[in-house]
Amino acid sequence: MLPDGRQPGPDDLLPAYPVWVAEVMLQQTQLTVALPFWRRWRSRFPDLESLAAASRQEVLHCWQGLGYYARARRLHGVATDLAAAGRPLPRDRAGLEQLPGIGRTTAAAIAATAGNTPDPILDGNVKRVLSRLLAFPAPPRQATPLLWTMVELLLDGRGARDFNQALMDLGALVCRPRSPLCHRCPWRLHCRAYSRGIQHQLPVRQASAPVPHVMVGVGIVLDRQGKVLIGQRQPDGLLGGLWEFPGGKQEPGETMADTVVRELQEEVGLTVAVGVELLRFDHAYTHRRLTFAVYLCRVTAGEARPVANQQIAWVWPHHLHRYPFPAANARMIQALREHLGQV
C-alpha cells in the first residue's frame, strides 16, 4: 500500500527496508504469526539507520518470541555494515543475494515487491502448485532447476510484484497442502495431477529423519537477596545472544539433579545444592524435541563467573522481562514468579 492509500502500480516503487524485514521474518514463519512482530519492529526500528544504531540486545528483545534468532542478528549486522559504509540497502536481486541469509527466493521477493522487477520466486507454495501442474513424481527438492525454469517461463520477463503474490496465494488458499480446492483453481484444466486424480498424493514428500529427544536440566539459582542468576549465550550459534537460566543436556548415567550440578559448575563456576523441581515440560524445535526439568538451587561454594557465557547477571525476578529470553524460558519465568508469589 502506498502512503496515499493506493495499491502500487507497475511503475510505483516501494521502500526496500520494510519489505526486506518482512521477507526475512517470513522465511520460517507464517504471515499471521509474523505480522504483529513486523509492526512492532517497524515501530521500534522504522528505518535502516535506527536499526544500525540499536544494540544487539535491543534487537533481540524486539524479536523475542519469533524464533530463529539468527535472522534478527543478520538483519542487525547488515544494517550496521551498510550504515558504516554509507551505503543504502540494495534493491536489485543480485545485490540482495550478497547479503547474509538472503537466498534467491528472498532476494527476488524483495526486488519484485519493492521495484516490480521481473524476478519470480520459488517458495513452498509455488513449488506445490508447480509440482501438481507437472505431476512431478519425486520430492520438489529434486526438481529445483526445472521448477525455476518453469516459473521463469510463466512470468515471461514481466514485472513480478502481482504475479508472485498471485502464485503464492494460489498455493496458500486453493492448491493447499491438504484438501486442495481444485474446483476453484483457474489452472485445473492444465493440471496433470488433477487430470489423473492424484492431486492429493502430490507433491511427493521427502522422508523425514527421526526427531531426537533430549533431556535438559536447568538450575534457577537465587541468592540471599532474592536475585536470580542468568547468563547470556555466546553471540553466534543457536539462540546466540539470548539470556537463559544455566543448564544443559543430561549425560548418560546422570540423574537430572546430577546434570544441574555439573552444568552449573561448567557454565558459571558454582557448586550448588539442588532443591525442589519447579516444573518439567516438553518444548519442540524444528529438528529436536526437548524435555526441560527445572530445579530451584542454592549456592554452596564458589563465585559466579561467565565460564561458558558472554556474561552473567544477578537480576530481580520482576526485572527478567527486560532481557531477551528463548521462548521456552517464558514458562520457567512464569513458574518462578508463581513460586515466589509475584503473579
Side-chain angles (χ1 to χ4, degrees), residues 128-136 174-175 179-203:
R128 183 169 57 256
V129 171
L130 299 183
S131 294
R132 285 174 173 161
L133 276 173
L134 296 171
F136 191 73
V174 178
C175 194
S179 304
L181 304 177
C182 298
H183 65 284
R184 295 177 55 188
C185 179
W187 284 352
R188 69 180 181 276
L189 298 181
H190 307 282
C191 178
R192 292 185 179 181
Y194 177 74
S195 67
R196 299 174 187 177
I198 59 172
Q199 64 270 32
H200 296 88
Q201 303 169 30
L202 298 176

Side-chain angles (χ1 to χ4, degrees), residues 84-98:
R87 293 166 46 209
L89 187 70
R91 297 184 62 90
D92 62 293
R93 194 193 90 193
L96 288 161
E97 281 190 85
Q98 301 304 309

Side-chain angles (χ1 to χ4, degrees), residues 12-97:
D12 289 317
L13 299 179
L14 299 178
Y17 171 77
V19 178
W20 169 55
V21 173
E23 290 297 337
V24 170
M25 286 185 170
L26 291 169
Q27 282 177 333
Q28 292 158 301
T29 307
Q30 293 181 343
L31 175 62
T32 53
V33 175
L35 186 57
F37 288 91
W38 181 81
R39 288 172 173 157
R40 185 172 74 185
W41 183 282
R42 291 280 287 130
S43 176
R44 179 64 183 82
F45 311 119
D47 49 37
L48 195 71
E49 293 72 25
S50 59
L51 177 56
S55 69
R56 174 66 62 85
Q57 182 153 321
E58 289 176 304
V59 170
L60 292 175
H61 199 278
C62 189
W63 192 274
Q64 184 174 345
L66 194 55
Y68 300 99
Y69 289 87
R71 296 179 295 174
R73 297 196 301 269
R74 284 195 291 261
L75 285 171
H76 187 231
V78 168
T80 302
D81 291 345
L82 290 176
R87 293 166 46 209
L89 187 70
R91 297 184 62 90
D92 62 293
R93 194 193 90 193
L96 288 161
E97 281 190 85

Side-chain angles (χ1 to χ4, degrees), residues 47-276:
D47 49 37
L48 195 71
E49 293 72 25
S50 59
L51 177 56
S55 69
R56 174 66 62 85
Q57 182 153 321
E58 289 176 304
V59 170
L60 292 175
H61 199 278
C62 189
W63 192 274
Q64 184 174 345
L66 194 55
Y68 300 99
Y69 289 87
R71 296 179 295 174
R73 297 196 301 269
R74 284 195 291 261
L75 285 171
H76 187 231
V78 168
T80 302
D81 291 345
L82 290 176
R87 293 166 46 209
L89 187 70
R91 297 184 62 90
D92 62 293
R93 194 193 90 193
L96 288 161
E97 281 190 85
Q98 301 304 309
L99 303 180
I102 303 295
R104 179 175 177 181
T105 283
T106 302
I110 298 168
T113 302
N116 202 25
T117 61
D119 292 302
I121 65 169
L122 191 62
D123 74 346
N125 285 317
V126 177
K127 288 179 181 178
R128 183 169 57 256
V129 171
L130 299 183
S131 294
R132 285 174 173 161
L133 276 173
L134 296 171
F136 191 73
R141 184 178 300 178
Q142 299 179 19
T144 298
L146 172 64
L147 298 181
W148 272 118
T149 299
M150 187 175 181
V151 78
E152 288 168 348
L153 291 172
L154 287 170
L155 180 59
D156 194 25
R158 293 166 294 177
R161 179 186 287 150
D162 293 338
F163 173 85
N164 288 343
Q165 189 61 55
L167 201 50
M168 286 190 294
D169 287 348
L170 180 65
L173 304 176
V174 178
C175 194
R176 305 182 302 186
R178 296 178 180 83
S179 304
L181 304 177
C182 298
H183 65 284
R184 295 177 55 188
C185 179
W187 284 352
R188 69 180 181 276
L189 298 181
H190 307 282
C191 178
R192 292 185 179 181
Y194 177 74
S195 67
R196 299 174 187 177
I198 59 172
Q199 64 270 32
H200 296 88
Q201 303 169 30
L202 298 176
V204 176
R205 298 193 179 193
Q206 193 94 20
S208 56
V211 178
H213 178 219
V214 179
M215 297 292 296
V216 178
V218 177
I220 295 184
V221 183
L222 292 163
D223 68 7
R224 293 179 179 178
Q225 294 178 291
K227 291 182 177 180
V228 62
L229 179 64
I230 58 175
Q232 187 180 31
R233 295 176 68 97
Q234 294 297 331
D236 299 317
L238 182 67
L239 306 178
L242 299 182
W243 292 79
E244 63 183 1
F245 300 111
K249 183 175 69 172
Q250 183 183 33
E251 299 293 345
E254 287 184 333
T255 66
M256 292 308 299
D258 292 338
T259 297
V260 172
V261 170
R262 175 180 53 77
E263 288 289 341
L264 267 291
Q265 184 64 53
E266 292 176 356
E267 287 193 13
V268 294
L270 288 179
T271 301
V272 299
V274 177
V276 299

